Amino acid sequence: MKNTVLTFKQAKENGEKLTMLTAYDYSTAKLIDEAGINSILVGDSLGNVILGYEDTISVTMEDMIHHGAAVARGAKNALVVIDMPFMSYQTSVYDAVVNAGRLMKEGRADAVKLEGGQIVCPQIEAITACGIPVVAHLGLTPQSINAFGGFKVQGKTAEAAMQLIEDAKAVEAAGAFAVVLEGIPSAVASKITEVLTIPTIGIGAGADCDGQVLVYQDMLGMFSDYVPKFVKQFANVGEIMKKAFADYIKEVAEGTFPAEENQYGISKEAEDELERLY
Ligand code: KIV
């Protein structure tokens, strides 16, 4: 069954946890979808884990459309959310609507996600007014790391926590159907989850959120540049991949791969004819 915004609404009402993972390509999206996830996020974290940038600042609309469309082709049942990259919505409400529309039309998103609270509410209102579902994103929002002075947990003082709660209420009022809470104390995320009627999806925001999201390379041990405290490695696929790559290199070097069963044959007559000619 296809997950929709109604799945998110009902999950919150029924107290059922929502699941979300990132994906950036067709085959990974297909595997995650077949595992039964509620939602796949084509995060602008692709800047880090796919393109090798230090942050998400350089990610473009073209990057998001290219990877988003691949994920959408692989996701049958998961609700596909595509991130709006840095400066694709901050510049104006007009830009936000045009770029959200491109992610829907060209990227085949089911919803878009953008970072920020009260400051981006006009954008959220305008995008949702066009019939495009919006996920908001608060807390340690990676597009603002230069303003934060690095990847730092947000909402640690009472004042900062209150600001987060007000931002969460504002994005809900503006029409967001869910909000990602990233890198904030669990107690603050818990309070936000309690006061909102839309679901909260946490990453580094504790167990009380209505759902959880992780970057798939992090939870599979495939990305070691930086491993945040909130990551749990559910498998060490990175090590399995390295071993397989090393085995391949060894077997090719030894001449044991390709073996007989990996090769194509020809008929005896064709072989004899080749022998005669060459
Ligand atoms: O880009 C991303 O992967 C995200 C998640 C960390 C929520 O925004």
Side-chain angles (χ1 to χ4, degrees), residues 20 22 24 41-46 48 56 83 113 115 137 142 180 182 201 203 213-215 230:
M20 181 187 265
T22 66
Y24 315 94
L41 171 66
V42 188
D44 60 354
S45 51
L46 73 83
N48 308 91
T56 59
D83 261 349
K113 176 166 82 57
E115 299 180 5
H137 186 164
V180 167
E182 178 167 359
I201 311 292
I203 174 162
V213 56
L214 281 177
V215 170
F230 60 76

